[in-house]
Amino acid sequence: MRDASGSTPPVSRLGPPDISQMSPEERATRLYNRVMTLHSEGKADSAGFFLPMALQAYAMLPALDVDARYHIGVLDLTGGDETGALAQADSINHAVPNHLFASMLRARALELRRDAAGARRAYAEFLRNEAAERARRRPEYAEHKDNLDAFHTQATQVAAGRTRAR
């Protein structure tokens, strides 16, 4: 096969990953990462193609920890399902009161619903719990440090009135 320039593109000598050797958790995480990467690259159609597969992979897990629930909630938000994201936020909050992921999902879901007052409350809840929660050094906080930092910046801006909750 030739590309637009008429030359033959290089062929990868590596085959696709053998997912049969991955644990169910690894498969779910890999699909989550794929959806998030495609979404961040502006490839909404491709992200939409893999989104149901990622959600199905999480549905097949024998148990869901807080990190898995956060991933499901983010996938729900990516697909425009604010109700699903709110359900994950509630499940996280029930399992681990004051967990930052619950506030993050809640704020984003309420923004999708155009509930600015509710989103502001979720941002404020995040800021109120952030110092104590980050001091706990939960592994999932380290894994999602960039997301937490970006959310902190936005929550601070909303609290200061510099940015409105969407």
Side-chain angles (χ1 to χ4, degrees):
M1 175 180 280
R2 299 199 182 274
D3 65 15
S5 70
S7 62
T8 304
V11 176
S12 172
R13 304 232 186 276
L14 300 174
D18 182 2
I19 64 171
S20 69
Q21 300 302 312
M22 294 180 190
S23 72
E25 291 81 5
E26 289 170 324
R27 285 193 294 270
T29 299
R30 188 175 187 95
L31 282 163
Y32 167 81
N33 289 335
R34 182 170 221 161
V35 170
M36 294 298 98
T37 298
L38 290 167
H39 182 74
S40 70
E41 292 173 348
K43 299 175 181 174
D45 289 347
S46 296
F49 176 79
F50 287 102
L51 180 64
M53 287 183 246
L55 288 168
Q56 183 179 20
Y58 280 102
M60 293 170 51
L61 295 179
L64 297 174
D65 62 10
V66 169
D67 193 52
R69 289 193 177 282
Y70 175 68
H71 287 186
I72 294 167
V74 172
L75 290 167
D76 286 338
L77 291 171
T78 301
D81 180 6
E82 75 274 4
T83 302
L86 286 170
Q88 294 305 321
D90 289 346
S91 293
I92 291 169
N93 200 52
H94 179 74
V96 183
N98 302 322
H99 199 288
L100 297 177
F101 289 174
S103 300
M104 292 169 67
L105 290 174
R106 191 170 289 110
R108 298 289 189 234
L110 292 171
E111 286 174 339
L112 272 178
R113 282 196 174 165
R114 306 218 186 285
D115 179 352
R120 276 192 306 277
R121 286 191 300 275
Y123 281 115
E125 178 184 355
F126 176 90
L127 292 172
R128 189 172 48 254
N129 296 321
E130 184 180 19
E133 276 297 300
R134 285 208 180 200
R136 296 181 193 284
R137 301 197 185 285
R138 299 181 192 278
E140 63 269 24
Y141 289 165
E143 182 181 334
H144 294 286
K145 182 186 179 310
D146 292 344
N147 300 60
L148 286 162
D149 292 345
F151 193 86
H152 168 86
T153 299
Q154 187 171 8
T156 302
Q157 291 172 347
V158 168
R162 290 191 301 258
T163 303
R164 293 181 14 200
R166 300 177 219 175

